Amino acid sequence: PAGSTGNRCVECHMPKRTYMQVDPRADHGFHSPDPLLTKELGIPNACSDCHTDQDLDWAIDWSERWYGDKLAQHPQRTRARVIAAAYAFQPEAMQGLLDLAKDERIPAWQATYIGLLGNYIPHEAVKAHCQAMLSSDDPMVRGRATEVLGRFPDGSQQVLDSLKDDMRSVRLAAARRLICSPRAKALPSPKLLAAALRFSPAASAPFWRSWPASARSQISRPVSCQPSFRLPSCGKPSSC
């Protein structure tokens, strides 16, 4: 009814969730409540937050009666299912991610699809999509495409090209991939990387002296133990 809590837009489309076990924050995804996804994937829904005296099937029944067609056609349901399948490494999710990417206008989602497409290397369709995304206007998308391309056996040159990107975040993604990937065919010179990342020569000198050896040491290490690319106060590359 008018004036009730349930009548407020934020209660349905910006429900509060506790993040990092610290504090409740309003969800800025502006999604529509979809109890069916709660049953399928465990995604919370705002209907059950208010109607605590009813079970999940009741919420599904009423949401399908009122909004069934709209929910079935809404991108959020398709996106949730495809992303869940990609996290589970299901083969069919690769094409689903590519289909979602075709019409995606939000860079954050586009970058998410690219990252998950990395699960399907070395498929040529994944490489072609990531190559196309290197020309994206958004640095988050270019950086993620650079990272995934660097994991292809023949992706070293494209990663090297990304060291010349206008945005430092993209250049960092390229450098991180070069230092972590055992598949890189050639390591750029320390001077080239220093210029690309724009560290001051004095501050970065200790790091660059040790960089080629530390990069080679990653070849036999599993991906889970590869270091992130950062320069701590000690001037040495980080380790896991």
Side-chain angles (χ1 to χ4, degrees):
S4 67
T5 301
N7 190 250
R8 300 175 63 210
C9 299
V10 294
E11 297 299 328
C12 287
H13 302 288
M14 295 184 68
K16 289 187 176 181
R17 299 284 178 251
T18 300
Y19 287 81
M20 299 181 290
Q21 301 182 5
V22 178
D23 56 353
R25 304 177 190 174
D27 187 341
H28 282 64
F30 301 101
H31 299 135
S32 297
D34 194 343
L36 182 60
L37 290 181
T38 306
K39 188 168 188 176
E40 291 182 4
L41 304 173
I43 298 172
N45 74 86
C47 304
S48 297
D49 288 348
C50 287
H51 298 282
T52 55
D53 58 330
Q54 302 290 344
D55 62 17
L56 180 58
D57 287 333
W58 177 90
I60 293 173
D61 179 48
W62 280 103
S63 64
E64 291 298 319
R65 286 193 207 180
W66 290 338
Y67 310 111
D69 291 340
K70 290 183 178 180
L71 287 172
Q73 298 171 12
H74 200 286
Q76 76 174 33
R77 185 178 281 184
T78 301
R79 182 169 56 222
R81 288 169 172 166
V82 170
I83 288 177
Y87 271 113
F89 296 91
Q90 295 179 13
E92 65 272 15
M94 185 195 76
Q95 189 57 52
L97 291 168
L98 292 170
D99 290 342
L100 286 170
K102 289 178 183 177
D103 301 317
E104 187 58 67
R105 296 183 179 181
I106 300 176
W109 281 123
Q110 193 66 260
T112 299
Y113 305 149
I114 293 171
L116 288 170
L117 282 169
N119 293 346
Y120 302 96
I121 293 172
H123 203 288
E124 288 298 316
V126 173
K127 181 195 292 186
H129 178 68
C130 290
Q131 288 172 332
M133 291 297 100
L134 287 176
S135 60
S136 169
D137 292 334
D138 192 275
M140 179 166 49
V141 174
R142 298 198 304 275
R144 191 60 61 86
T146 295
E147 192 278 330
V148 173
L149 282 171
R151 291 157 56 191
F152 278 85
D154 58 350
S156 300
Q157 185 55 54
Q158 291 163 319
V159 176
L160 287 169
D161 291 342
S162 290
L163 288 174
K164 304 173 185 177
D165 195 277
D166 291 339
M167 290 297 296
R168 189 178 185 188
S169 62
V170 180
R171 299 196 301 273
L172 282 169
R176 183 164 50 244
R177 179 43 48 192
L178 286 169
I179 198 173
C180 292
S181 176
R183 301 185 182 91
K185 294 181 179 179
L187 297 175
S189 70
K191 288 184 179 180
L192 174 60
L193 267 179
L197 302 180
R198 295 177 186 169
F199 287 135
S200 70
S204 60
F207 174 74
W208 299 127
R209 282 198 296 270
S210 65
W211 184 78
S214 66
R216 287 194 298 271
S217 73
Q218 306 311 315
I219 293 177
S220 61
R221 300 180 69 187
V223 172
S224 60
C225 289
Q226 290 176 359
S228 61
F229 189 88
R230 62 182 185 271
L231 186 66
S233 57
C234 64
K236 296 179 180 179
S238 61
S239 58
C240 59

